[in-house]
Amino acid sequence: MLKTALRNVLAHKARLLMTVLAVTLGVAFVSGTLVFADSSTAAHRAAVSKDYADIAVTVTPKDPPPGTAPADRPVADEHATVLDDELARKLAGLPGVAAVRPSADGLATLNAADGSPLRTGRIWAHRAAAYVPGADGKDSRHPLTAGRAPRDGTEIAVDSGTAAAGRFRIGDGITLATDGPVMTKRLVGIVTTRDTRVTAGGTLALFDKATAQRLFASPDRYTSIDLSAVPGADQAELSRRVAALLPAGRAEATTGTAQAAQQAVLVDTLTRGNEKLSLVFAGVALFIGSFLIVNTFTMLVARRTREIALLRAIGATRRQVVRSLLWEAVLLGLAASALGFPLGLGIASVLPRILSTTGEALPHGPLVIGPLPVVAALAVGVGITVLAAWLPSRKAARIAPVEALRTAEQPPTAAASRVRGAAGALLLALGAGLLLSLAGVKDASEENLRSAMFGCALLVVAVIVLAPLLAVPVLRLSGRLTGRLGITGHLAHRNALRDPRRTAATASALMISTALVAGLSVIGHSTGQALDRRAAAGLSADYVISTHTSSADIDPDAVQRVSATPGVRTATAVSDSTLFIGGGVRGISGIDPAAAPSVMRLDFVSGSLKDLGPGRIALSRTLAHENGVGAGDRIGARIGGPGQGLTPYTVVGVYEDNPTAQEALGARTEVQEKALTPGSVQRVLVRTDGATDDATKDRLRTATGNNPLLQVQDRQELVRQAAGSLSTLLTLTYGLLAIGGVIAALGIMNTLAMSVSDRTREIGVLRAIGLDRAGVRRMIRLESLTVAAFGTLLGLATGLFGAWTVGALTNGALKDYSLTLPWGTLLLVCLISLATGVVAAALPARRASALSPLEAVAEL
């Protein structure tokens, strides 16, 4: 039977090629993703190992328990540490210590040469440090490539990547900020660095030691001290010696190996998300491809009915027939694995470049090919193919020897159709029932999301099972349209209706991809519209000036300069803080009650802003409802950081939920007084005389001192920023559409090619009685278009129903969510799906039109 299987594969290699290609795509995505994951992790680990290669132990300050502090360390002095030159000298005298390198590290955000903030999307990677030379006058961690090291507080050095991104040259003035006002430093040097946070898209600014200590620690103090060990020294033992020397509770020692391990865990966490998108593509490709495999083997079994019956007649058992077809599947799977794995290596090599375009550069390194990708390629290629071929093989085993005497394939029995209908109806009831039960639940919990995904899966499987039964009425309805196109349209309709099972199986791949894309497009578009509305909700200001990071505040002097900017009608400062109320923590915005109505849209249900002041707050409708209070009631609350006890506040008003105003409003003077940083300002809402052009925006940036920690955004930019989180969903949607379209095209092409082969004599007769070559091509194209239209219709219906039911869960997480259909995207999906059918018919139509009438009629 193995020889028979090999002969059949070689005999039908052209027809099986499309099946191999479909499985190859899935194998390539799976193996490529796994190789990329291993290679990316290895590259990150190698980079991290270099960072800590010469560090044996690192000493860092240790924060005291909350509410306590040593007597010589005031709680208010958050930068005070015990890491100083005296401690560094003591550490240098320990046995096993080769060198001691103190550091004063922090964060600094730079402006590019054109004045725009540099790489603001990665604030946490804006590294800043002291250039600390060793005995040779050089800092081994930051080798100079141009210029010299900074010598005083007016100078700075940057790494080569930052210099290139900001278009800096030696001698340029660079504006930057750490956590306060803007500073201007002269660039005197360019260095290289191995810090993965910088090489992966961050920035590095180097100051002289005294300046860095003043900015990030305190005078003559450091933020950390790195120790290198003499050859052969044990890191753990050295760490114990260092810990014994440190003041108890004031500092701690960590080995370089432990730091590298911690960084590696962080790296693994950050890079794990890059694998998920590719694995989703692989899963979709394999799922859709499995239907192509089932369809191909089903058609092969139907074509080889007489051959299999003859094998049964001469003594082949059912088990041998099954084994023969499964061996064919194994051979196909091996071929797909052999083709897919090299293609997967190509995917793994280009993924870092693709992902790096999103702003998160990935470290370079060689491809790491471990045993798992190889095993996965074989398991996926062979396993999926064998599983998909199992049902057709079982059907082939039931072929009786008497079938060798028949010339036509027998249609499915009425009993088989009833069983299919009952199974499909049951799955449909379960899937639709589960989704409908979730339609009224506005809770986007993980459990509900899993239930929704399971319901959608049941719904898709139900539609696939019912597709052959649905094909008859749908195709009869579509036949009224194709019949108007003449005899070729009528013939195309009859050919598609001749075998509803084959038509449904061929359309299933296109149906699945269309359903996925339509559903995700509707959810993505509706979510985007909700985010758009939410971004500008409650805002009547033309511009919002805010910080890129929560650790920075807006300089009060900058607020005054913004108010005095030409074209500005009103500029109102907003101080955001935390509000402890009702056993929970909420956000409160400190505002000026007189100026707020000109920059905020506040819709009060009861009360008003006029009585807002010390001891009096206003609450959003949701927060007021949660605590059971209304205007005029009193409630215990506390503004600012953790503390003891609550203060009674009078509720002066209740307003509709407003993201601009947060959950509560208070007087700015009181919120600033009780904030963690007294007097701080987090936002400035600006109302202009009507001009919202680039010139106005430039004047506002100038008024802020071009502080790179601040962003000036108009309403449109706020909307675009809110919608930016949908980029991954859109990428997934278009990727699924591309994968589904390719595999569906392969399936339709494969089905039509085999159908043309089966109908050789029929096409010859049509040619003999006067149907020209153009008519034959048109007939095949219309048949393909009919199949594609059937799959598209089912896919749209399934996807839209799923999006409607799942949308209720989204509404629970995003209260402004409402179902909105992206008509342009849905129309594009329909056009692409129909175009897939037209393109897939090109080769089969050409082959059919090339048949000679005499040779076709003469074929046995």
Side-chain angles (χ1 to χ4, degrees):
M1 300 310 293
L2 178 59
K3 292 180 179 179
T4 302
L6 181 60
R7 180 184 61 80
N8 286 328
V9 169
L10 295 177
H12 304 99
K13 54 182 178 293
R15 296 165 190 169
L16 295 173
L17 177 61
M18 304 301 175
T19 303
V20 172
L21 290 178
V23 182
T24 297
L25 287 177
V27 171
F29 276 110
V30 170
S31 59
T33 300
L34 294 175
V35 171
F36 162 72
D38 291 343
S39 303
S40 178
T41 301
H44 274 99
R45 288 182 181 274
V48 170
S49 297
K50 291 180 180 178
D51 290 344
Y52 297 98
D54 53 351
I55 297 178
V57 178
T58 297
V59 178
T60 54
K62 186 175 183 179
D63 293 330
T68 65
D72 61 339
R73 184 185 177 189
V75 176
D77 187 3
E78 62 183 60
H79 292 310
T81 74
V82 296
L83 310 186
D84 54 14
D85 289 321
E86 181 181 356
L87 178 61
R89 286 191 295 269
K90 291 180 180 179
L91 293 173
L94 287 175
V97 174
V100 173
R101 294 180 307 199
S103 300
D105 301 335
L107 300 178
T109 306
L110 286 67
N111 275 335
D114 61 1
S116 61
L118 186 61
R119 294 175 173 174
T120 54
R122 300 174 58 86
I123 295 296
W124 62 271
H126 290 180
R127 311 304 301 171
Y131 186 93
V132 183
D136 58 355
K138 300 178 181 179
D139 188 338
S140 59
R141 291 168 297 184
H142 308 116
L144 282 164
T145 59
R148 58 174 176 81
R151 296 171 180 168
D152 55 44
T154 65
E155 299 176 343
I156 191 177
V158 300
D159 70 288
S160 55
T162 301
R167 298 182 179 180
F168 300 137
R169 296 180 178 179
I170 298 295
D172 287 350
I174 298 179
T175 57
L176 69 150
T178 53
D179 59 355
V182 176
M183 300 176 287
T184 301
K185 309 289 184 181
R186 185 168 64 90
L187 180 63
V188 297
I190 297 177
V191 304
T192 59
T193 181
R194 296 178 304 191
D195 191 331
T196 53
R197 293 167 294 186
V198 178
T199 57
T203 61
L204 174 64
L206 295 176
F207 304 89
D208 67 286
K209 185 174 71 171
T211 301
Q213 289 175 321
R214 177 175 53 83
L215 291 173
F216 307 121
S218 56
D220 300 323
R221 302 294 177 96
Y222 301 101
T223 57
S224 65
I225 300 177
D226 295 330
L227 284 70
S228 60
V230 298
D234 181 73
Q235 285 191 4
E237 177 61 28
L238 182 59
S239 177
R240 285 191 289 271
R241 294 174 187 169
V242 171
L245 186 64
L246 300 177
R250 301 289 303 276
E252 57 185 347
T254 308
T255 64
T257 302
Q259 293 179 80
Q262 294 171 2
Q263 189 73 4
V265 171
L266 175 62
V267 165
D268 289 343
T269 303
L270 294 175
T271 57
R272 194 175 299 125
N274 295 331
E275 308 167 27
K276 293 182 180 179
L277 194 60
S278 298
L279 286 176
V280 169
F281 290 158
V284 171
L286 291 171
F287 185 63
I288 298 177
S290 64
F291 289 95
L292 175 55
I293 300 170
V294 171
N295 197 28
T296 300
F297 274 90
T298 301
M299 294 181 68
L300 285 175
V301 168
R303 292 201 58 196
R304 291 157 51 187
T305 298
R306 297 184 65 186
E307 174 189 331
I308 295 172
L310 285 173
L311 288 174
R312 295 279 285 114
I314 64 176
T317 64
R318 291 187 175 185
R319 184 173 297 178
Q320 287 176 317
V321 172
V322 171
R323 283 205 301 263
S324 175
L325 289 175
L326 292 183
W327 270 117
E328 291 183 38
V330 170
L331 294 174
L332 288 181
L334 290 174
S337 299
L339 292 174
F341 190 76
L343 182 60
L345 296 182
I347 292 175
S349 64
V350 301
L351 270 178
R353 300 172 191 167
I354 295 174
L355 295 175
S356 293
T357 60
T358 63
E360 185 169 338
L362 300 175
H364 298 288
L367 291 180
V368 176
I369 304 175
L372 180 59
V374 178
V375 173
L378 289 172
V380 168
V382 177
I384 293 295
T385 309
V386 170
L387 285 176
W390 184 76
L391 285 178
S393 69
R394 299 285 295 176
K395 179 182 177 182
R398 291 193 297 268
I399 296 176
V402 72
E403 299 290 339
L405 303 177
R406 296 177 178 174
T407 58
E409 180 185 359
Q410 298 300 309
T413 63
S417 296
R418 285 195 295 270
V419 171
R420 175 184 285 272
L426 177 62
L427 290 172
L428 183 64
L430 291 176
L434 179 58
L435 291 176
L436 289 174
S437 67
L438 294 172
V441 180
K442 296 183 178 182
D443 179 13
S445 65
E446 185 176 351
E447 181 180 356
N448 286 337
L449 289 175
R450 281 198 300 264
S451 299
M453 293 176 63
F454 181 66
C456 289
L458 286 178
L459 183 65
V460 170
V461 174
V463 174
I464 292 172
V465 173
L466 293 173
L469 304 179
L470 297 173
V472 175
V474 174
L475 292 178
R476 283 177 178 170
L477 182 63
S478 65
R480 298 180 180 180
L481 298 176
T482 56
R484 298 180 180 180
L485 301 177
I487 187 62
T488 55
H490 179 72
L491 290 172
H493 168 248
R494 297 302 301 174
N495 289 334
L497 194 59
R498 176 183 300 179
D499 190 345
R501 290 179 302 167
R502 184 169 65 187
T503 298
T506 304
S508 293
L510 194 59
M511 184 273 289
I512 296 170
S513 61
T514 303
L516 286 171
V517 173
L520 290 176
S521 296
V522 171
I523 293 175
H525 179 74
S526 301
T527 304
Q529 293 292 316
L531 290 175
D532 290 353
R533 291 190 293 270
R534 186 177 179 83
L539 181 68
S540 56
D542 298 309
Y543 291 94
V544 176
I545 302 174
S546 58
T547 62
H548 285 293
T549 172
S550 59
S551 62
D553 299 321
I554 300 177
D555 184 3
D557 292 338
V559 179
Q560 299 297 325
R561 293 194 298 270
V562 168
S563 300
T565 300
V568 172
R569 182 191 307 174
T570 304
T572 301
V574 178
S575 296
D576 296 322
S577 187
T578 54
L579 178 70
F580 294 82
I581 184 173
V585 181
R586 297 292 189 270
I588 184 171
S589 296
I591 61 172
D592 180 355
S598 64
V599 291
M600 288 183 179
R601 294 194 182 102
L602 296 172
D603 184 8
F604 272 83
V605 178
S606 60
S608 66
L609 275 181
K610 65 180 181 180
D611 295 325
L612 196 68
R616 297 188 293 273
I617 59 176
L619 304 180
S620 66
R621 179 197 284 266
T622 299
L623 185 57
H625 177 73
E626 289 176 355
N627 290 275
V629 296
D633 295 337
R634 293 174 67 81
I635 187 173
R638 183 176 71 253
I639 298 175
Q644 299 296 326
L646 301 178
T647 302
Y649 279 87
T650 300
V651 179
V652 299
V654 177
Y655 55 90
E656 294 290 352
D657 291 10
N658 188 321
T660 302
Q662 299 197 90
E663 292 93 346
L665 290 172
R668 189 175 72 237
T669 53
E670 182 177 20
V671 173
Q672 286 180 327
E673 179 184 351
K674 297 182 178 180
L676 289 174
T677 305
S680 62
V681 172
Q682 282 69 44
R683 290 180 289 161
V684 180
L685 307 183
V686 180
R687 187 77 179 267
T688 67
D689 293 331
T692 55
D693 50 18
D694 291 340
T696 302
K697 186 175 180 180
D698 290 341
R699 286 196 295 269
L700 292 176
R701 280 212 58 83
T702 302
T704 64
N706 285 320
N707 192 326
L709 295 176
L710 305 183
Q711 54 186 347
V712 180
Q713 297 173 294
D714 57 24
R715 296 171 63 86
Q716 289 72 25
E717 288 173 321
L718 289 171
V719 168
R720 286 196 297 270
Q721 184 183 42
S725 59
L726 295 177
S727 59
T728 301
L729 179 61
L730 294 177
T731 300
L732 176 65
T733 300
Y734 298 136
L736 293 176
L737 178 60
I739 292 175
V742 170
I743 297 179
L746 293 175
I748 295 173
M749 188 183 303
N750 203 24
T751 300
L752 290 177
M754 299 178 75
S755 178
V756 167
S757 179
D758 290 343
R759 289 152 40 197
T760 298
R761 295 186 66 187
E762 174 187 325
I763 294 173
V765 171
L766 292 174
R767 293 279 286 113
I769 63 177
L771 188 65
D772 58 9
R773 294 179 184 271
V776 173
R777 289 194 295 269
R778 188 161 54 251
M779 177 185 68
I780 300 298
R781 291 192 187 106
L782 286 175
E783 180 182 351
S784 177
L785 190 62
T786 300
V787 174
F790 176 62
T792 302
L793 179 62
L794 288 185
L796 282 177
T798 305
L800 293 179
F801 179 78
W804 172 67
T805 53
V806 175
L809 301 180
T810 307
N811 184 263
L814 190 61
K815 297 185 183 300
D816 296 323
Y817 180 92
S818 62
L819 187 70
T820 308
L821 298 181
W823 295 107
T825 302
L826 294 178
L827 178 60
L828 180 62
V829 169
C830 292
L831 292 176
I832 292 177
S833 299
L834 296 176
T836 299
V838 174
V839 172
L843 288 178
R846 182 177 180 181
R847 178 185 175 189
S849 65
L851 290 174
S852 170
L854 294 179
E855 295 177 358
V857 173
E859 185 176 292
L860 293 178

